[in-house]
Amino acid sequence: MVPELVAGRIGERVVHTSSATRRNLTSRILPGNHTCSQLAAELADEWVEYIDAAGVAAGTVQCYRQAIKSLCTSVDMQMGEDASRATLASDQPDLARVIAAWERALPSGFAPNSMRPTILSGAIRTLIRRRAEHPHRPVAERVAGLAKAGSGVPIGENNELDEFSREDKQAMVRAAWAAVIALEKRLEAGWRRAEQGRHPRGDSWMSIPNLLWGLAHDAVTPAEISDGLGPPGGWTEELRECIRRPDGSFPATTARTVLSRWLVAQLWPNTLDLHAFRVLLVDATAHPPEEMSKLTEDGVEFTPGGVRLTLVRKRAKRRYYRAFKDASVEMADVIESKEFTDLPRREPGVIVKRLMGVTERARVRAADPERNLFVRAVVDVDRELKFCEWNPEAPLARFSAWLQAHNVTVEGKVDIRRLRKSGKVEKVVASRGHIHEAADDHYEETFKSHYAQGTTLRVISGEVINSAQEHWLSQALQGPTVLSQEAVAAAEESTHLQALGLSAQEADDLVQGELDMGVTHCKNPYDSPFSPAGELCAVAPLRCLECRNAWVLPSQLPQLLLFGDHLERVRQRQTPARFTAFWGQSYVNLRAVLDDRTEQEVALARKHIAEGGITLDLPLAAHVEFDA
């Protein structure tokens, strides 16, 4: 069996560890009850040193831990007793073959198209390459060659996150503002009660003001409070009400720990509280949530019109600066009230000021050399009060837990990064599609590949295309107006044609044949949708059947039949795609006109063609187009 690989309390990062500390962590990773102990020790050493040097985040730390555990499990299964001799320094036993087999089997343990197998394989290869670069840590040639070669695990599909809907986003922002205001009121009330208390040792352990006073003045610890309170059965009703669950039940087995955390939360923000500020900052700036949660005191400069922030893009190893102006009241989405001051505004300066206000006391106690703004107070399992950097992925306090605590339900995956995409979409809409304005903190290529696939932008693009098509169809491809014999007869004695949109002169010219263009009649050849206004139509009669100005009279049936024969010959010569592109609309409209004629009318028209020697007059280009 492979042991549970845990680097002590590596929860978030291992920073500046000494050699002794690294040895201690490695020993805690390797309890020594597995077969491939030497291989696990080599990989664990590289892992601890790598996370120390790179300062990687908690998620990356866990990836390496999972990769080592998975590989060691596979080595034990494949090699049996020989696993005890497995080492990166020797080709015997053949560890390269075992690693390759492990990589091939990795995808079977995950969902289809998962990217996790590729990540785990890459983690092991990174550790091996790092060890091979060390002058005093030998790595077998076959193993080193395998690590330097391309990964044998196929890369899965990464489905891009879609942005939040406008309704979901508004619900989150409203909940965040309400949470911020509630937090400010809670801390204000907590410190006011702490001022009323005295040292619990000289007074009473059952007084909430006394307990708050002791924590505020660092006079007592959560462990001392737990010991001083004694069993929950002897508590006052006031203390019991502080930690009673919403359903009315009382956590008897964990009462003292829960009460300690409740007391701390009255004086300093906890992990769950800081999600609200991140939501507001991402909404107001449309910048990555990890950059917002890494803001520092030195990276904030307030200006008369807003705030200037220093942002760090860790993955790109880039530091850049952005100035944000505070929005005016007129930009508010909803009407403000006395209770929710600043609630509807997107004012990064105001949000940062309020964040600094609620974390000020916690930052003083933390003594953080980086001076981060997102600092929390926590009571750990050892009942110690700690002030540390905020971890949004802390168990039981993730973003999903914050949404649930504030009764916010969102559609789709619960991921704060979707809120940034919503901001990107708004920038595109506000800038009327100018990508360079939306891609203000990355390359335009990144925007096209990562942000342009959102539902809102697809809908907008579809609406633009549909509007353009409808405009063109209404202007040019509406097709001709077809008149029956009865309509023509009625038009000679009434204003029927004028009711259809023709002037009196145009109606008279139409009946008299003055507007005949061959295949159809034309209402106005100088107002063609295919040519500039005022110029004679350049595509008549080839495109007359696609034009809004065209009028088809019964007398033109012979010409329509001849034109139909011409299109049939063209259709036989050209590929379907080319014929549809050049003649498709005309062919469809022509078939619709001919289908409205009776068999007797068509037969009579064919007879006129044969006996009268009627021919189709088309431009030369219509006959040589196939050769062109």
Side-chain angles (χ1 to χ4, degrees):
M1 289 293 293
V2 175
E4 186 73 12
L5 303 177
V6 180
R9 292 187 179 277
I10 297 182
E12 300 169 21
R13 276 194 277 180
V14 176
V15 184
H16 304 304
T17 56
S18 63
S19 299
T21 304
R22 287 200 299 270
R23 287 195 300 272
N24 179 53
L25 288 173
T26 304
S27 63
R28 297 182 68 176
I29 294 171
L30 306 168
N33 60 347
H34 58 283
T35 306
C36 56
S37 58
Q38 186 172 357
L39 171 63
E42 292 170 346
L43 293 174
D45 283 339
E46 296 299 330
W47 173 41
V48 173
E49 290 187 7
Y50 178 64
I51 61 177
D52 180 15
V56 295
T60 306
V61 170
Q62 297 306 319
C63 285
Y64 282 87
R65 168 187 172 273
Q66 183 183 3
I68 297 174
K69 180 179 178 180
S70 176
L71 175 61
C72 290
T73 302
S74 179
V75 170
D76 284 350
M77 293 178 61
Q78 293 186 61
M79 304 184 68
E81 295 298 330
D82 290 339
S84 60
R85 298 187 294 112
T87 173
L88 297 174
S90 175
D91 283 330
Q92 296 298 327
D94 191 355
L95 191 59
R97 178 184 57 80
V98 175
I99 295 176
W102 167 71
E103 289 184 336
R104 288 194 298 270
L106 264 179
S108 62
F110 297 88
N113 296 322
S114 173
M115 298 190 68
R116 195 69 176 180
T118 304
I119 295 174
L120 298 182
S121 172
I124 294 298
R125 289 170 178 259
T126 298
L127 296 179
I128 296 175
R129 288 196 298 267
R130 189 178 189 277
R131 189 173 185 85
E133 293 173 356
H134 198 284
H136 304 298
R137 296 175 185 175
V139 175
E141 184 177 352
R142 283 174 54 81
V143 177
L146 176 68
K148 294 179 181 179
S151 175
V153 180
I155 299 176
E157 295 181 2
N158 185 14
N159 295 326
E160 289 292 342
L161 293 171
D162 199 1
E163 76 270 12
F164 286 113
S165 66
R166 182 170 178 81
E167 292 76 14
D168 289 348
K169 179 181 176 182
Q170 288 180 338
M172 284 188 291
V173 172
R174 289 177 183 274
W177 273 115
V180 167
I181 294 171
L183 172 62
E184 292 172 337
K185 292 180 178 179
R186 187 186 81 203
L187 298 183
E188 181 181 359
W191 283 95
R192 188 166 54 248
R193 295 183 72 178
E195 294 173 357
Q196 302 169 0
R198 290 178 293 179
H199 202 299
R201 289 197 184 94
D203 190 52
S204 171
W205 288 98
M206 297 296 170
S207 170
I208 293 178
N210 288 350
L211 300 179
L212 293 176
W213 183 93
L215 291 173
H217 291 80
D218 200 17
V220 295
T221 65
E224 293 173 336
I225 291 177
S226 298
D227 296 337
L229 289 173
W235 292 5
T236 63
E237 187 61 27
E238 182 184 19
L239 286 176
R240 297 173 66 88
E241 285 298 323
C242 292
I243 60 174
R244 197 174 295 278
R245 298 189 181 104
D247 59 1
S249 61
F250 182 78
T253 57
T254 59
R256 285 185 284 188
T257 300
V258 174
L259 180 62
S260 297
R261 292 172 177 170
W262 181 87
L263 292 170
V264 169
Q266 307 310 304
L267 302 175
W268 302 282
N270 58 30
T271 305
L272 210 59
D273 293 327
L274 297 180
H275 281 289
F277 288 99
R278 187 173 64 159
V279 168
L280 295 177
L281 285 172
V282 174
D283 172 63
T285 64
H287 281 262
E290 60 270 18
E291 294 183 11
M292 295 296 104
S293 59
K294 293 298 181 181
L295 288 174
T296 63
E297 294 182 46
D298 297 334
V300 176
E301 178 185 354
F302 292 103
T303 61
V307 65
R308 185 173 183 264
L309 302 179
T310 301
L311 304 174
V312 178
R313 183 67 52 85
K314 186 173 182 179
R315 286 175 296 178
K317 298 181 180 180
R318 175 190 173 200
R319 182 185 298 270
Y320 62 102
Y321 310 91
R322 287 292 183 271
F324 301 95
K325 292 184 178 181
D326 290 342
S328 62
V329 178
E330 290 75 12
M331 295 296 291
D333 292 334
V334 296
I335 300 176
E336 290 185 342
S337 64
K338 294 182 180 179
E339 182 180 1
F340 295 101
T341 306
D342 294 321
L343 173 60
R345 304 185 191 179
R346 292 179 172 178
E347 298 183 346
V350 173
I351 299 170
V352 172
K353 285 181 181 178
R354 297 174 86 151
L355 170 63
M356 297 178 73
V358 300
T359 61
E360 181 178 4
R361 292 186 175 95
R363 286 184 280 115
V364 172
R365 293 283 293 270
D368 180 14
E370 297 182 4
R371 305 177 71 185
N372 287 290
L373 296 186
F374 281 79
V375 176
R376 56 177 175 154
V378 295
V379 178
D380 63 14
V381 293
D382 295 329
R383 299 185 300 173
E384 294 183 7
L385 175 60
K386 296 181 178 180
F387 297 87
C388 51
E389 182 183 350
W390 183 52
N391 177 19
E393 297 300 323
L396 305 179
R398 295 184 175 91
F399 182 53
S400 57
W402 181 85
L403 292 177
Q404 185 176 4
H406 292 84
N407 299 318
V408 177
T409 303
V410 297
E411 184 179 356
K413 186 175 182 180
V414 178
D415 195 316
I416 187 66
R417 293 175 297 171
R418 297 176 62 194
L419 194 60
R420 166 167 159 83
K421 290 199 170 186
S422 298
K424 288 291 183 179
V425 169
E426 292 180 359
K427 285 187 177 183
V428 174
V429 175
S431 63
R432 297 182 179 272
H434 294 171
I435 295 180
H436 69 276
E437 295 187 18
D440 56 350
D441 60 333
H442 49 69
Y443 295 111
E444 293 185 19
E445 290 76 8
T446 302
F447 179 89
K448 294 175 183 177
S449 63
H450 192 60
Y451 296 98
Q453 312 303 323
T455 298
T456 304
L457 292 183
R458 290 201 304 268
V459 171
I460 293 175
S461 300
E463 290 177 350
V464 171
I465 294 173
N466 290 337
S467 298
Q469 289 178 339
E470 290 176 2
H471 174 75
W472 172 250
L473 290 173
S474 63
Q475 295 296 318
L477 301 181
Q478 189 177 15
T481 302
V482 183
L483 298 179
S484 64
Q485 189 66 46
E486 293 77 11
V488 174
E492 295 177 352
E493 301 177 357
S494 67
T495 59
H496 179 71
L497 294 181
Q498 297 181 41
L500 295 177
L502 294 177
S503 65
Q505 183 62 42
E506 289 173 340
D508 184 65
D509 291 342
L510 180 68
V511 174
Q512 298 299 324
E514 297 293 334
L515 303 178
D516 191 357
M517 300 293 290
V519 177
T520 67
H521 286 65
C522 184
K523 174 183 176 181
N524 187 354
Y526 290 93
D527 186 27
S528 170
F530 300 99
S531 300
E535 295 185 9
L536 184 65
C537 180
V539 296
L542 299 178
R543 291 290 180 265
C544 288
L545 286 169
E546 302 178 21
C547 183
R548 68 177 187 274
N549 290 335
W551 291 71
V552 178
L553 274 61
S555 59
Q556 292 173 312
L557 182 55
Q559 289 291 324
L560 292 175
L561 291 173
L562 292 173
F563 188 63
D565 295 339
H566 171 75
L567 291 185
E568 288 292 344
R569 291 191 295 270
V570 174
R571 192 164 72 95
Q572 294 296 324
R573 296 196 304 264
Q574 294 184 345
T575 62
R578 180 176 177 82
F579 178 80
T580 301
F582 284 90
W583 297 103
Q585 190 64 51
S586 294
Y587 185 77
V588 170
N589 291 353
L590 176 62
R591 299 311 307 173
V593 172
L594 295 180
D595 289 344
D596 287 339
R597 303 302 183 182
T598 64
E599 294 181 1
Q600 292 79 7
E601 289 176 330
V602 173
L604 183 60
R606 290 290 185 187
K607 184 178 180 180
H608 288 169
I609 294 173
E611 295 179 353
I614 300 175
T615 59
L616 180 65
D617 295 327
L618 293 179
L620 181 61
H623 299 284
V624 300
E625 180 183 4
F626 176 73
D627 295 333

